[in-house]
Amino acid sequence: MLIIHEILQSDRNDLNRQLRGQTSPKHSLLAEKQQQFLRPLPQQTFEACRLGQAHANSLSLVRFDTNSYSVPTK
């Protein structure tokens, strides 16, 4: 665990470092550069689910698409 902590601290220190010839720290420059490639969030909401009826078989399995899922017996 100590090694992971040291690596994370080293990464944080590197991101807070100011590069030669730049007026902002490295993390700010990376954030500015990343903004060029990000798209705005869509205006409409997206429901990341699909609702439907399902029935469990005698083995307590429910079929969804091509997968079978184990469900409680109640």
Side-chain angles (χ1 to χ4, degrees), residues 11-25:
D11 287 347
R12 284 188 204 104
N13 291 342
D14 185 53
L15 285 172
N16 288 324
R17 181 170 60 95
Q18 189 158 335
L19 301 174
R20 185 178 2 175
Q22 300 295 327
T23 57
S24 303

Side-chain angles (χ1 to χ4, degrees), residues 7-66:
I7 292 171
L8 289 173
Q9 188 59 45
S10 175
D11 287 347
R12 284 188 204 104
N13 291 342
D14 185 53
L15 285 172
N16 288 324
R17 181 170 60 95
Q18 189 158 335
L19 301 174
R20 185 178 2 175
Q22 300 295 327
T23 57
S24 303
K26 193 174 179 181
H27 67 85
S28 295
L29 297 172
L30 288 171
E32 288 172 20
K33 190 68 169 172
Q34 187 180 30
Q35 286 297 322
Q36 298 173 15
F37 300 101
L38 296 177
R39 294 182 180 179
L41 292 174
Q43 296 299 316
Q44 68 277 10
T45 59
F46 175 73
E47 290 296 323
C49 66
R50 192 164 59 180
L51 300 176
Q53 293 236 334
H55 299 282
N57 64 16
S58 61
L59 300 173
S60 295
L61 296 175
V62 172
R63 191 100 174 134
F64 181 75
D65 284 343
T66 59

